[in-house]
Structures are given as structure tokens and as C-alpha cells.
Amino acid sequence: MSHQKDFDLALSTKWFTKEPPLLPPSMKALGPCTSTYNWTWEQDFNDTTKTLIYAILWTDTKAITKLRVTWKRSDPMGTVKAEQKHYPAPPPLSEEDLEKAHKLYGDNIALWAEEAVGTTVGDGECWTLVQRALIDLAETYRQYGKEPPLLSQGRTHGHPILTLTAPSVGSNSGLLQLADVRRGDILELKSAHFQIITEEAPKRVPGQWGKWQKGAGEKNVRLSHHTAIVVGVDGDTVRVVEQNGSVQGGVGEEKYDLGDGGMLKGEVEVFRVVGETMGGGGLVAEWEDE
């Protein structure tokens, strides 16, 4: 169990009686990007007593909080009881575990993404591309009796293997290799600003007959929250397949330089997709009695 302090659940606001359920005010006040959660209802045979169970993953620490609230429908405030449990983040996986996960899922995730280029997946949002890839692949793995990949939990996509920020006190150059970022890993960007140099058609050199110079352009890309699938790594540059990025509302390809010259500002987190058992079975809204 974790040493996280219990939250003020403010039961007097009756948030637990809403349908669909709401988070307690103290948790909701932390903001929509601080957590992701699952919930489940339980009720007795006569529908007189209801139980609401939450499993909440905190995206910054990867710790989990579970809530269980029980009450009688006839008198919610007079009968409500609430419990909390807090679980620490899982320990880092070994290099052997991460290598195994890559061999099982990495290339298949990247291939799925590459085949989607030029289409629109689901609602056209960036996160949906990763969600649909993992759901489709999970179904295929189950059909063949293989362990399916763990589905995304909000903006957590398996096991974190690298976090970097810009501007940085030290150099970000070479970190992709040190963290062993590979094809099929998932890239999560936050408040990122990139300067991307693009090649253009050669142009004549003014006043010099027969001479041409290589053209180059520059574009600035700003992404508040963005999710992409890594399909290749070249030095400090990741090649990705993304949705609603370079192609608005559709799937396209892009390159992001995560070294000292490319990312001017922001935060990047890279995840290795892992199996369900390796990732703790996902965010399950179940209450474990001790």
C-alpha cells in the first residue's frame, strides 16, 4: 500500500449518486489531465443498496487510488460509507522484460499504424489512433492464444521508458539511444514546440547562370497534447505515424527532432507497450479485501 493521504471525499455533495458517476470534488479540482479512471456499479438483489467502486490512475506518479462507496437508495446521506486504498506505482521493468515486450508487440503496432496512413481512424483524434491499434491487436492476439497488449490508460500507454523536457539543463542528445526507444513505442507530447527544417526544390542562384542551390524551409509545430506511434529512430529524430497532426483529422507521417536543436519547449514521454500481466492487468475497478 502507498503512503498517499486520503482525499476529502465531500460525501455531503452526493457526487456518488450521479449517473454516470462523477469524481469527488477534491479529485476533480486537480484537472482533467491529472488522472484517468474506471468505475463499476454493484447492487443487491432488491436494488436497495448500491456500491460504487473507482480505480483511479494518477498520470504523473502512475500510482493508483481505489474508492468504494456504499449507500442505501432510500437514505443516501444517512447510510453512506466510504473507503479508500492507495497503491504505489509498479516497479520498473527489467531490460529483459522490455525487450520481450518489444518483440511481442512493437513491430505489429508500427505496421498497423503504417497501414492506416491516408485514412481517418475513429473520431480523427490523435489518441484514438493508438487506442484502436491496441484494441485491434489485442483481439488478434487473443484469437491466437497469445497474451494481448495492455490497453492505454488515459495518456499512459504501457511502461514509461523515457521522459525529457526542453529547454533542459543538460543535453537531450543521445537519450533516445540510452533509453532504447524502438519502433512501436508510443510518444506522448505535452506543450511541445518544434522547429522542423523541410527540404524544398532546388532554386537558381540569382545572377549566376547554371548554378542551383538546395532549397530549405522551416515550419514551427506546436502541440498542447499529442500522441503518436514511433515507426523509426534516426539519431535524435523519431519518425512517427500520427493522427490529427501533420494531416488534420487524418493519419499521416512526421518526424520530430527530440535533440537540442529540434524541440524548443515542452515535455516528451515515451512508453513501451507491454502485456496485460506485465502491466498489472490494467486499471480494473475491483475492490480487494485484505
Side-chain angles (χ1 to χ4, degrees):
M1 300 292 285
S2 168
H3 297 295
Q4 165 72 44
K5 293 182 179 179
D6 282 352
F7 288 88
D8 177 6
L9 298 184
L11 297 173
S12 61
T13 62
K14 298 184 182 180
W15 55 267
F16 51 90
T17 64
K18 307 299 181 182
E19 295 187 21
L22 304 175
L23 282 177
S26 59
M27 295 181 178
K28 191 175 181 180
L30 297 175
C33 296
T34 59
S35 67
T36 183
Y37 62 91
N38 288 329
W39 56 268
T40 185
W41 288 109
E42 295 178 2
Q43 59 189 41
D44 63 7
F45 182 75
N46 295 320
D47 195 25
T48 59
T49 301
K50 298 197 73 170
T51 300
L52 175 63
I53 300 174
Y54 270 101
I56 304 153
L57 173 69
W58 302 104
T59 53
D60 56 346
T61 64
K62 307 304 183 289
I64 290 176
T65 294
K66 289 195 174 185
L67 306 178
R68 180 167 68 174
V69 185
T70 304
W71 70 98
K72 289 187 177 181
R73 294 173 64 93
S74 59
D75 182 17
M77 290 313 304
T79 60
V80 64
K81 296 179 181 179
E83 300 172 86
Q84 304 182 44
K85 289 184 179 181
H86 308 284
Y87 301 87
L93 296 178
S94 66
E95 292 185 8
E96 182 180 352
D97 288 335
L98 292 173
E99 174 72 20
K100 178 181 177 182
H102 169 73
K103 288 182 177 179
L104 280 172
Y105 311 114
D107 200 49
N108 287 333
I109 294 169
L111 286 170
W112 192 101
E114 289 167 336
E115 291 176 359
V117 171
T119 69
T120 296
V121 176
D123 60 5
E125 294 297 331
C126 60
W127 185 86
T128 307
L129 176 70
V130 176
Q131 178 197 41
R132 286 288 298 274
L134 296 181
I135 288 174
D136 284 359
L137 289 172
E139 291 178 357
T140 301
Y141 276 74
R142 287 192 181 95
Q143 289 174 4
Y144 286 90
K146 303 291 185 180
E147 181 180 5
L150 180 68
L151 301 184
S152 297
Q153 312 293 327
R155 293 189 177 274
T156 297
H157 314 279
H159 191 80
I161 60 173
L162 173 65
T163 300
L164 57 85
T165 58
S168 174
V169 175
S171 173
N172 284 333
S173 183
L175 293 184
L176 293 177
Q177 284 70 38
L178 286 174
D180 195 27
V181 175
R182 298 189 182 192
R183 177 176 166 85
D185 290 341
I186 309 299
L187 195 71
E188 192 67 44
L189 306 171
K190 182 179 179 181
S191 302
H193 177 193
F194 290 92
Q195 186 178 71
I196 300 176
I197 306 300
T198 59
E199 292 187 4
E200 298 178 350
K203 299 178 181 179
R204 292 182 183 274
V205 178
Q208 300 185 41
W209 178 256
K211 288 191 175 183
W212 296 71
Q213 64 182 5
K214 186 177 181 180
E218 177 184 303
K219 65 178 181 180
N220 286 278
V221 177
R222 290 178 170 84
L223 303 161
S224 57
H225 283 92
H226 191 59
T227 310
I229 297 174
V230 177
V231 296
V233 179
D234 303 311
D236 291 330
T237 299
V238 287
R239 292 182 285 110
V240 303
V241 171
E242 60 183 7
Q243 183 161 248
N244 202 28
S246 54
V247 179
Q248 186 173 1
V251 181
E253 298 173 287
E254 187 57 275
K255 297 179 181 179
Y256 293 112
D257 182 356
L258 303 182
D260 299 327
M263 189 170 74
L264 306 180
K265 182 181 178 181
E267 179 179 324
V268 176
E269 194 164 16
V270 184
F271 295 88
R272 174 71 44 84
V273 174
V274 299
E276 286 184 340
T277 57
M278 202 177 293
L283 193 59
V284 181
E286 293 180 351
W287 189 263
E288 299 86 7
D289 288 314
E290 296 179 353

